[in-house]
Amino acid sequence: MNPKTIAENVKDIYSLPEVALEINQLINSESTSNSELETLIFCDPALTAQIMRLANSAYFGFSKEIDTLSQAISIIGRLELRNLVLATSVISTFPGISPKLVNMETFWFHSVACGVMARLFAVKTNSTQKERFFIAGLLQAIGKLVLFMQYPNESTEVLCFTDMGEDAEIAAERRIFGFTHAELSAELLKQWQLPASIWQPIEFKLDPLNVNAPRKDACLLHVAVNIASKMEPCSCQPMDVHEIKPTYHTEAWNQLGLNPEMIRPAVAETSLQILDILSIIKPEAAAIY
């Protein structure tokens, strides 16, 4: 087994909706006009409604209400538009996974948390095209879903190591599959024709200091994922940010040049945005928050 072969074999099974693929292609084209994007999106009323709700959510925090799709496209920009389309589309791509392997509501809660946290750190570090980090964080673990569906027995064996910590679980992935879920996630995004600036940080999120990694991007995603993964979806109990003990590589944090004191407000800000986004793209997951 290798991630490239698996991604190629399943690309038709786990394929984005046609409208998402078409929008991605239009955005990749320099000659595309906003009116062309608007016309295509209008063909999908449900997608149109979700984009409008997301554009007016706490994720963007605009002071004035956005009331037309053309206004949304102009204000949020094309790259953010692609992120919203992908965010609303990708969740429907992975239905029917056994609850014995994964709780999908919890999975998407953590995925959204990772996306929001990654984008927040991108803003704090003045990273280029900060909007790409949301989709990188959101999709950084979809390789796990492919493994759950294609190799449930082997995945069950990997999950036996979850309680021993991330390092033990990743080591089990490498031993059983010969690669990690991060590598498979990156390969699948390649098949979806997403830009390298999104899938490369995912490929190296577990080894951000690798000589082949886009270092700052990989370190940012690595840190964001590790912090966000400690956030628990429980609306019944207030979250104590002092209890969050990230397990990121210290050198990865140092590469970002950020003050550790910012972790607490980052978690608080992420918490505010998670519910807004989940209530739009995955209401079932919002219910557990």
Side-chain angles (χ1 to χ4, degrees):
M1 288 190 291
N2 67 73
K4 183 176 182 179
T5 300
I6 293 175
E8 288 176 345
N9 288 341
V10 304
K11 65 181 179 181
D12 292 330
I13 302 174
Y14 310 117
S15 177
L16 291 173
E18 190 64 31
V19 65
L21 294 173
E22 291 180 10
I23 289 173
N24 185 48
Q25 290 173 353
L26 286 178
I27 289 175
N28 287 338
S29 171
E30 295 181 359
S31 62
T32 300
S33 66
N34 283 1
S35 61
E36 287 178 281
L37 287 169
E38 185 178 2
T39 299
L40 179 57
I41 295 169
F42 267 139
C43 292
D44 190 326
L47 178 62
T48 301
Q50 287 178 317
I51 288 175
M52 292 303 300
R53 290 181 65 194
L54 284 166
N56 285 290
S57 71
Y59 175 74
F60 288 108
F62 295 128
S63 57
K64 185 178 179 181
E65 183 179 3
I66 297 174
D67 51 18
T68 66
L69 184 57
S70 60
Q71 186 183 19
I73 295 173
S74 297
I75 292 177
I76 68 178
R78 295 186 179 192
L79 297 180
E80 284 283 23
L81 176 66
R82 172 166 56 195
N83 288 344
L84 299 189
V85 172
L86 287 171
T88 58
S89 300
V90 73
I91 289 177
S92 63
T93 304
F94 297 95
I97 299 179
S98 170
K100 294 180 180 179
L101 290 169
V102 61
N103 181 304
M104 292 300 291
E105 283 70 36
T106 300
F107 177 88
W108 289 117
F109 168 89
H110 282 136
S111 295
V112 169
C114 290
V116 173
M117 185 75 73
R119 182 178 182 271
L120 178 59
F121 282 153
V123 172
K124 299 294 184 183
T125 56
N126 297 313
S127 296
T128 59
Q129 296 182 342
K130 62 183 182 298
E131 66 284 330
R132 62 194 165 97
F133 285 96
F134 172 74
I135 207 65
L138 180 73
L139 303 182
Q140 48 82 29
I142 60 169
K144 286 187 176 183
L145 300 184
V146 174
L147 294 175
F148 289 155
M149 297 189 76
Q150 296 296 304
Y151 304 98
N153 294 334
E154 293 86 348
S155 295
T156 299
E157 189 176 347
V158 170
L159 291 175
C160 291
F161 294 86
T162 301
D163 291 340
M164 299 181 187
E166 183 186 50
D167 288 345
E169 186 176 350
I170 297 305
E173 283 185 349
R174 289 195 172 105
R175 185 176 65 256
I176 294 169
F177 294 114
F179 56 86
T180 68
H181 71 272
E183 294 169 280
L184 181 54
S185 297
E187 286 292 342
L188 187 57
L189 298 193
K190 286 184 192 179
Q191 296 298 326
W192 288 353
Q193 298 182 356
L194 296 189
S197 60
I198 291 176
W199 59 256
Q200 280 184 336
I202 294 175
E203 182 178 11
F204 291 100
K205 71 161 186 168
L206 300 173
D207 186 18
L209 304 177
N210 188 296
V211 294
N212 296 315
R215 179 156 300 190
K216 182 180 177 181
D217 290 356
C219 286
L220 191 155
L221 186 60
H222 168 81
V223 169
V225 168
N226 273 271
I227 295 175
S229 66
K230 304 300 183 294
M231 299 174 65
E232 290 301 324
C234 181
S235 59
C236 300
Q237 300 175 3
M239 184 180 301
D240 186 351
V241 297
H242 296 294
E243 293 183 359
I244 294 180
K245 295 180 173 58
T247 55
Y248 54 74
H249 296 305
T250 302
E251 182 54 34
W253 177 268
N254 294 338
Q255 289 279 328
L256 303 179
L258 296 175
N259 188 327
E261 294 299 317
M262 76 159 291
I263 293 179
R264 182 177 182 181
V267 170
E269 188 170 344
T270 297
S271 297
L272 290 175
Q273 295 181 24
I274 291 174
L275 182 59
D276 238 11
I277 295 174
L278 283 176
S279 65
I280 298 169
I281 67 174
K282 188 66 173 176
E284 303 95 318
I288 68 174
Y289 187 41

